[in-house]
Amino acid sequence: GRGMDAASLTLKLLLIGDSAVGKSSLLLRFTDGAFEPSLKPTIGVDFKVKKMVIDGRAVQLAIWDTAGQERFRTLTPSYYRGAQGVVLVYDVTRKDTFTGLDSWLNELEIYTSKNSTVKMLVGNKTDKPDREVERKEGLQFARKRSLLFIETSAKTLDGVQHAFEELAIKILQTP
Ligand code: GDP
């Protein structure tokens, strides 16, 4: 089960996606409220915990960040182990990060359980003017692959809370 003890329900969530799409920024923004314009590449495996109340229930989200391993377009199996939710991030101003999504989905298929891992596609950096991927394209891709979908800006905070909340809600609804 998912540890149904209401007092201590913890969900493991992963951030994945290409380098520099904003994974660490989204995590920091969601958990600390901070936005750091000159963020250094992630060093070392790291995760942060965020407490939320969902449907009157106390939930802890343990959200893991990739430690820069994603530069090699692959992560270690232990990173994926036990994940109930995955946030797959691309940058709406970099088409290559969108076309690269399939390789991430292939890897997810190998390492996570198809039926019990909920996936959220996130198009980040909507505050920037130089968009290369339209919202509609993201939405279509997500529909085809049965992913939840949202666009965000880690800079303005637009959609950030919503992304993690929707994912957590969906996980709690998944048998
Ligand atoms: P990661 O490698 O996927 O973890 O990406 P980072 O979080 O390190 O972000 C890469 C760069 O993009 C950093 O300079 C961030 O400040 C910047 N960045 C991240 N999210 C946004 C966003 O939503 N809008 C803008 N304008 N910049 C962002």
Side-chain angles (χ1 to χ4, degrees), residues 20-25 36-37 39 124-125 127-128 153-155:
V21 294
K23 299 181 296 298
S24 300
S25 298
E36 177 56 67
L39 206 65
N124 187 43
K125 307 198 188 182
D127 62 281
K128 293 179 79 176
S153 165
K155 188 172 181 181

Side-chain angles (χ1 to χ4, degrees), residues 15-29 35-42 65-68 70-71 89 91 93-94 123-130 152-158 160:
L15 284 156
I16 65 172
D18 286 356
S19 276
V21 294
K23 299 181 296 298
S24 300
S25 298
L26 288 167
L27 179 57
L28 273 177
R29 205 68 167 113
F35 179 75
E36 177 56 67
S38 59
L39 206 65
K40 299 261 159 31
T42 312
D65 196 6
T66 52
E70 79 278 17
R71 274 169 292 162
V89 187
D91 176 346
T93 70
R94 278 177 55 209
N124 187 43
K125 307 198 188 182
T126 54
D127 62 281
K128 293 179 79 176
D130 46 345
T152 59
S153 165
K155 188 172 181 181
T156 67
L157 210 54
D158 196 42
V160 174

